[in-house]
């Protein structure tokens, strides 16, 4: 039988898990962007 109360009780835990995943993805993207800026090859116009 489907337990609707259990579903509602688990939603905040699942929400925190998804938030954690998005935070980690954002941190990885920021680190890659910073490393790209720090170690990018400068092109000379001459």
């Amino acid at each position: 039988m489907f337990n609707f109360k259990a579903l509602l009780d688990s939603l905040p835990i699942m929400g925190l898990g998804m938030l954690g995943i998005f935070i980690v993805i954002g941190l990885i993207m920021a680190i890659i962007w910073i490393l790209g800026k720090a170690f990018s090859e400068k092109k000379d116009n001459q």
Side-chain angles (χ1 to χ4, degrees), residues 11-29:
L11 282 177
I13 298 169
M14 291 188 282
L16 286 175
M18 289 298 292
L19 179 65
I21 290 170
F22 284 121
I23 289 173
V24 169
I25 290 173
L27 285 174
I28 291 171
M29 289 174 61

Side-chain angles (χ1 to χ4, degrees), residues 25-42:
I25 290 173
L27 285 174
I28 291 171
M29 289 174 61
I31 290 170
I32 290 172
W33 180 76
I34 290 169
L35 287 173
K37 289 286 188 181
F39 295 108
S40 65
E41 294 181 14
K42 306 286 186 210

